[in-house]
Amino acid sequence: MELVHTVAALKEAITTQKKQDKTVGFVPTMGALHEGHLSLVRQAGDACSFVVVSIFVNPNQFNNKEDLERYPRNLDADLAMLKTTPCDLVFAPTVSEMYPTEDHRVFDFGHLDVVMEGLHRPGHFNGVAQVVSRLFNMVEPHKAFFGLKDFQQLAIVNQMVKQLKMPVEIVPCPIVREPDGLAMSSRNTLLNSTQRASATLISQTLFAAMQKARHLSVEALKQWVVDNIDQNPDLQTEYFDIVEDQHLNSITSWTDAGNKIGCIAVHCGKVRLIDNVTF
Ligand code: PAF
């Protein structure tokens, strides 16, 4: 496994592989890797013959300075984990390597960007699109792998690829959960032990909601989810919505068309956690 920090070294390594007809699989990350990331890398390894992982905490996608500062970083631990996977090349650029000049591009993702995460984290998805489009231009992967935990991010990336006509296949990968059901996230390491125990209620509630769906109206179920989570003093729900998976419009009835995804964001102390389930 090779580690590079510059775009020039990245491109050189990838060009060499492409000359040997290798298919490039790409997993963009912000580091603080966990089993969820490693499962993306393994899926990339199964589908492609050369696997690139980027590790870059992208300042442009943080709408909260404190959140950016507290974001966990540990390159050595990340590299040790990646050595256990089919990762061939790690790209870990500095901020100035990634953004030699400021990125002023403003993307228009319409409705996709103004609901749920987009509503509560203004500018977040614009920053995601800036960095992911740059990374795609640098790596030029055949396939890129994204976790379904960030369901809305996946919708945005698909839309961005369409708008920019990028020749990359976006591969959605299942959510990986801790044994107690908590969706794996780099932010879980920021929880103290009491908060960590409380956070289990998020997925437990979503799973219970799947059982209750269709016995309750959509509105009543949404209210039940919020009430059930917020009864725990460590947790405060920011939003819970049930949307169809293409345009992310809120559904109002279980008979509405499309796959129905229940998306949630919950504050657990200062840590913001997201999760989703399919109804
Ligand atoms: O999902 C993430 O970790 C980030 O949003 C991504 C896709 C690596 C872009 O910084």
Side-chain angles (χ1 to χ4, degrees):
M1 187 178 84
E2 193 185 347
L3 169 65
V4 295
H5 298 283
T6 65
V7 179
L10 172 80
K11 287 195 165 184
E12 193 186 323
I14 291 173
T15 305
T16 307
Q17 297 302 322
K18 283 195 172 164
K19 277 189 189 144
Q20 297 166 33
D21 283 336
K22 296 273 180 81
T23 51
V24 177
F26 178 44
V27 181
T29 81
M30 297 206 298
L33 301 182
H34 49 70
E35 190 49 40
H37 294 112
L38 303 188
S39 83
L40 299 180
V41 181
R42 286 190 209 105
Q43 286 168 80
D46 288 343
C48 303
S49 45
F50 189 73
V51 176
V52 182
V53 174
S54 64
I55 297 179
F56 178 66
V57 181
N58 172 34
N60 292 15
Q61 72 186 73
F62 285 81
N63 56 324
N64 176 329
K65 197 164 170 270
E66 201 191 330
D67 191 24
L68 171 62
E69 276 158 14
R70 284 187 317 128
Y71 200 84
R73 294 163 170 87
N74 191 340
L75 184 60
D76 289 342
D78 290 343
L79 295 175
M81 280 192 210
L82 287 173
K83 279 190 184 145
T84 69
T85 71
C87 175
D88 297 296
L89 179 65
V90 181
F91 176 48
T94 59
V95 173
S96 58
E97 184 71 13
M98 201 64 210
Y99 295 107
T101 58
E102 272 185 46
D103 194 332
H104 295 294
R105 286 175 300 161
V106 178
F107 292 83
D108 182 1
F109 297 120
H111 181 72
L112 292 181
D113 190 22
V114 294
V115 294
M116 300 192 294
E117 291 300 288
L119 183 66
H120 291 92
R121 303 183 68 189
H124 167 65
F125 286 127
N126 201 64
V128 169
Q130 288 176 343
V131 80
V132 173
S133 58
R134 274 169 188 259
L135 287 165
F136 282 179
N137 282 332
M138 292 165 183
V139 176
E140 297 186 281
H142 297 90
K143 295 175 192 255
F145 297 77
F146 288 83
L148 277 160
K149 182 172 82 71
D150 296 291
F151 186 80
Q152 193 172 3
Q153 168 170 278
L154 197 54
I156 293 276
V157 169
N158 275 317
Q159 183 62 23
M160 180 201 81
V161 161
K162 213 185 275 177
Q163 285 179 5
L164 300 179
K165 298 186 173 54
M166 291 181 137
V168 52
E169 181 191 340
I170 304 300
V171 184
C173 302
I175 298 177
V176 180
R177 297 184 179 278
E178 298 288 355
D180 66 3
L182 179 67
M184 287 198 184
S185 164
S186 305
R187 292 173 199 270
N188 293 352
T189 58
L190 301 172
L191 300 169
N192 66 32
S193 57
T194 322
Q195 292 168 335
R196 172 65 188 78
S198 296
T200 307
L201 184 60
I202 303 168
S203 56
Q204 276 174 358
T205 302
L206 294 180
F207 298 151
M210 289 164 75
Q211 304 302 318
K212 285 180 182 288
R214 293 164 212 268
H215 301 297
L216 291 177
S217 69
V218 172
E219 269 320 301
L221 187 75
K222 285 189 343 192
Q223 193 58 52
W224 179 81
V225 165
V226 174
D227 292 345
N228 200 57
I229 289 177
D230 289 0
Q231 51 151 337
N232 183 308
D234 286 331
L235 304 178
Q236 194 177 9
T237 305
E238 188 168 73
Y239 68 81
F240 173 62
D241 203 359
I242 304 177
V243 299
E244 50 74 34
D245 65 345
Q246 293 303 304
H247 310 285
L248 309 188
N249 289 317
S250 299
I251 64 158
T252 54
S253 157
W254 295 116
T255 54
D256 286 357
N259 293 323
K260 296 162 185 71
I261 317 291
C263 299
I264 197 162
V266 177
H267 290 276
C268 185
K270 289 188 165 182
V271 185
R272 190 173 177 282
L273 302 170
I274 61 170
D275 198 351
N276 66 78
V277 289
T278 302
F279 284 98

